[in-house]
Amino acid sequence: MTAGAILANPQLALWHSFGNHAPNDTASDAGRPGWMYGVRQYGMHAYLTYLTEVAGMDRKFITDGFYASTNMSPQEYLFSNVGAERMRKLFADWAAHNTGGMDYLTKEQIERGYLEITLAGDWDYYRPYVWSSVDEGTRGDWFTPPPDLTARGWAYNVLNINTTQSASYSFELDGDANGSQGATSFFVGRIVVMSENGPVYSDMTMTSSLSGTATVAVTEKDSSVFLVVASVPEFFTSYQHYSYRVKIVKQ
């Protein structure tokens, strides 16, 4: 029921909960707006479902953590035991599949998640994209999302182009070396094309932990193309954000 809260504010850290939000975040007990932030932690069942049911990660990595007598957070435990490269890939893939319509859940589950926003949340706080356009890139400029919507640790942003005509788009990602509180940044990118037959996923070519490029062609039958920027640092606490800039060129 709370999966809609993940889509609503994907910039929030994977460990966002009642007591660790940023000073300017909506408080979890602030009525309907607070619901959009506070219940997101309960929606993490969607992440675990993706990891085990779709990506094939062994369930023991989740269950063993309960008995490991570790001081690590669940996110750091998975990172350490599953492996840094694989967990970064899995998180970015999950972010892409969320963007593609949470296609790992049933239609009924997705509809129920959206209904819960209507029943308990506030659609004014539904912010799945940090940038949107129609048949256009960033017109030669670099775009940087505002700090309050920039991806935090183990979080992601989505840039959306609604498409009505055939075209090719190139994407360039350039990340800051450090987060807003000094932790070392690490980014991974994904491209999602919403075709008439469903979402089509591809990886951004990462030339470093901060930079990447991608090019994708769309047709008049495609409805959207998304760039997903996943922030996956080797740092598992705080509400700091990890800034970057993006240039999108329509060719």
Side-chain angles (χ1 to χ4, degrees):
M1 292 193 302
T2 54
I6 295 173
L7 301 179
N9 288 285
Q11 79 278 3
L12 298 180
L14 198 58
W15 48 84
H16 185 95
S17 62
F18 298 135
N20 61 5
H21 53 74
N24 294 326
D25 283 349
T26 301
S28 300
D29 59 356
R32 285 177 171 267
W35 184 95
M36 301 296 286
Y37 280 64
V39 305
R40 187 177 182 276
Q41 57 191 313
Y42 303 121
M44 283 301 126
H45 58 74
Y47 182 48
L48 301 181
T49 296
Y50 178 82
L51 291 178
T52 57
E53 300 297 323
V54 178
M57 191 184 81
D58 195 321
R59 291 171 178 263
K60 73 177 183 180
F61 290 114
I62 297 173
T63 56
D64 287 359
F66 286 99
Y67 310 102
S69 298
T70 178
N71 291 323
M72 290 187 240
S73 68
Q75 297 80 19
E76 186 176 6
Y77 181 85
L78 289 177
F79 185 88
S80 299
N81 287 275
V82 177
E85 182 177 358
R86 188 181 181 201
M87 282 311 303
R88 284 175 168 138
K89 176 185 183 304
L90 291 176
F91 183 84
D93 289 346
W94 175 67
H97 280 271
N98 287 346
T99 306
M102 281 191 158
D103 55 356
Y104 55 93
L105 300 180
T106 67
K107 180 175 179 289
E108 292 74 20
Q109 287 172 324
I110 296 168
E111 289 176 346
R112 188 63 182 84
Y114 282 124
L115 176 61
E116 197 66 15
I117 296 178
T118 299
L119 296 177
D122 187 335
W123 284 100
D124 287 341
Y125 289 80
Y126 182 78
R127 299 169 293 189
Y129 313 129
V130 293
W131 178 90
S132 293
S133 76
V134 178
D135 293 325
E136 189 58 78
T138 57
R139 300 186 178 185
D141 297 325
W142 287 95
F143 168 79
T144 298
D148 62 321
L149 295 181
T150 298
R152 301 177 187 180
W154 291 80
Y156 64 96
N157 287 146
V158 181
L159 292 84
N160 166 44
I161 304 173
N162 294 314
T163 58
T164 66
Q165 55 191 234
S166 296
S168 179
Y169 292 92
S170 65
F171 302 84
E172 187 175 355
L173 169 66
D174 179 35
D176 288 358
N178 299 98
S180 59
Q181 296 174 354
T184 301
S185 301
F186 200 112
F187 298 98
V188 179
R190 295 288 185 266
I191 303 294
V192 184
V193 175
M194 299 303 289
S195 76
E196 61 179 339
N197 298 316
V200 179
Y201 304 100
S202 58
D203 295 354
M204 171 173 269
T205 300
M206 300 303 298
T207 54
S208 73
S209 61
L210 303 177
S211 303
T213 60
T215 300
V216 65
V218 298
T219 73
E220 66 276 4
K221 294 183 178 180
D222 300 326
S223 60
S224 300
V225 58
F226 303 105
L227 169 63
V228 180
V229 179
S231 169
V232 285
E234 192 171 350
F235 194 78
F236 302 92
T237 186
S238 90
Y239 48 76
Q240 69 182 299
H241 62 273
Y242 296 83
S243 190
Y244 60 88
R245 60 181 187 164
V246 168
K247 183 186 289 186
I248 305 173
V249 177
K250 182 181 180 182
Q251 301 172 333

